[in-house]
Amino acid sequence: MDDDEAIARSLKGDLAAYEVLVARYSTLAHRTAAMLGAGDEAEDVVQEAFVKAFRHLASFRRDAPFRPWLLRIVANETHNLTRSRGRRTDLALRLSATASTRAPDDPEGAAVATDRRSRLLAAVRALPERERQAVVCRYFLQLSEAETAQVLDWPVGTVKSSTHRGLARLREEVGDELA
């Protein structure tokens, strides 16, 4: 069942159809919430985002893709969480979900790669919030500029400039050692 059919059936009261959307986008929503600052509270953010998405499904523009619309709700919920806490939280990456479980052929290479990844993530965490959000959406979540603008509710030009500034800061911070 594709997104359009699942949305149409959900609007008619078919909860199983909405479960299809939840199953399809749950991992991405969790990753988005965690990387945008929800940390250990990503599960709560995602649950609230899916509830809000369901409540407002009737207002969803059917000619638009569902994924950026949902991720915008996740981003807004994450922003609300971090704002209500009154402090920035540490980004918690769920590397265990993406890490390979097989033993590396080159233990030294694997150790170097892990160290580089850790330094890069620390540098991303240290970026100013707007630049971090833009870089996370564009490069970690692999969203287009238009999707990032929709998710963050920013003009495309702001996405471009924030991404550019964030990448420039990362280059200054980590230089060529991570290339």
Side-chain angles (χ1 to χ4, degrees), residues 17-111:
Y18 193 68
E19 287 176 21
V20 168
L21 293 170
V22 171
R24 183 173 295 148
Y25 293 108
S26 196
T27 301
L28 179 61
H30 279 90
R31 193 173 337 138
T32 301
M35 294 184 78
L36 290 179
D40 293 337
E41 297 174 89
E43 179 72 33
D44 295 335
V45 166
V46 170
Q47 184 175 2
E48 185 63 27
F50 275 116
V51 168
K52 283 189 176 182
F54 183 75
R55 282 190 201 138
H56 299 286
L57 201 54
S59 67
F60 171 68
R61 271 190 22 239
R62 298 291 294 278
D63 60 334
F66 180 76
R67 183 177 86 150
W69 182 76
L70 173 66
L71 294 181
R72 179 174 176 187
I73 295 171
V74 171
N76 287 342
E77 286 301 306
T78 303
H79 178 72
N80 291 343
L81 171 74
T82 58
R83 187 180 61 211
S84 71
R85 284 194 303 221
R87 60 182 169 82
R88 287 175 82 179
T89 60
D90 197 28
L91 292 174
L93 288 180
R94 300 185 185 244
L95 293 176
S96 59
T98 59
S100 174
T101 56
R102 56 183 259 265
D105 293 335
D106 177 16
E108 181 181 350

